[in-house]
Amino acid sequence: MREVTMYESLDGMAWRTKDAAEERDKEFRVASEIEAFVGDRVPNLSGWVQRDLVRVGEMKRALAAAAMKAQPDFWDRYLDPVAAINPNSLMTRIMSESEGPLSSAWARACRIDEHGREWEQLYWVGHQIEGLKKFPKPFEP
């Protein structure tokens, strides 16, 4: 038997090297700061929460800037990097493959519709009328 040393990052993931855990911690801190622009996440099975559109814009600009550093390729396709934050963009597909804190923040930003409603599930962004029938009032924490 041999002893194995692992390092745990702030999000609870285990890493074989200290450098890898520290890199994940940096990404976790950046993503947490970005998500703080709009507040707590929408709890499961609660529908949606109304967000301030100015704060949503700030979040998306900060997220686009962080994503451009993390994934520098492909950005030449977008005149406005914030426009890439939508469920159907190439960058959404690229970001979803990273499975890190920044990817999670990206997915959250995609769940905020043009009216500032942050939906619990991405499905409701594309089916807002149906979503509003099911959840006529916003979730109040």
Side-chain angles (χ1 to χ4, degrees):
M1 177 175 81
R2 65 185 175 96
E3 185 176 317
V4 176
T5 301
M6 299 291 282
Y7 300 89
E8 186 175 312
S9 57
L10 293 171
D11 61 351
M13 296 291 293
W15 301 89
R16 291 185 177 165
T17 67
K18 185 177 179 182
D19 290 341
E22 287 174 347
E23 279 300 310
R24 181 63 162 235
D25 284 349
K26 286 179 194 174
E27 184 180 334
F28 182 81
R29 284 186 193 98
V30 168
S32 296
E33 288 173 14
I34 290 169
E35 289 195 57
F37 280 108
V38 292
D40 294 335
R41 287 177 171 261
V42 180
N44 285 341
L45 305 175
S46 60
W48 58 280
V49 173
Q50 185 64 51
R51 301 296 185 194
D52 180 303
L53 284 172
V54 172
R55 301 294 288 166
V56 169
E58 292 169 350
M59 174 200 186
K60 288 185 175 187
R61 281 189 294 281
L63 182 57
M68 287 171 73
K69 288 180 185 175
Q71 299 282 351
D73 299 329
F74 307 108
W75 285 99
D76 58 341
R77 291 174 168 79
Y78 300 101
L79 295 175
D80 176 13
V82 174
I85 303 174
N86 74 74
N88 302 313
S89 76
L90 172 64
M91 283 312 299
T92 295
R93 293 185 71 182
I94 291 167
M95 292 300 291
S96 69
E97 291 179 11
S98 72
E99 298 181 2
L102 204 54
S103 174
S104 178
W106 188 280
R108 182 181 181 192
C110 285
R111 290 192 307 270
I112 301 174
D113 68 21
E114 68 276 8
H115 304 289
R117 291 182 293 244
E118 180 181 351
W119 293 91
E120 167 218 352
Q121 295 179 20
L122 182 60
Y123 173 83
W124 300 119
V125 173
H127 301 87
Q128 294 174 32
I129 294 171
E130 185 180 337
L132 289 171
K133 286 179 184 176
K134 183 170 180 156
F135 305 103
K137 294 182 181 178
F139 174 77
E140 297 292 335

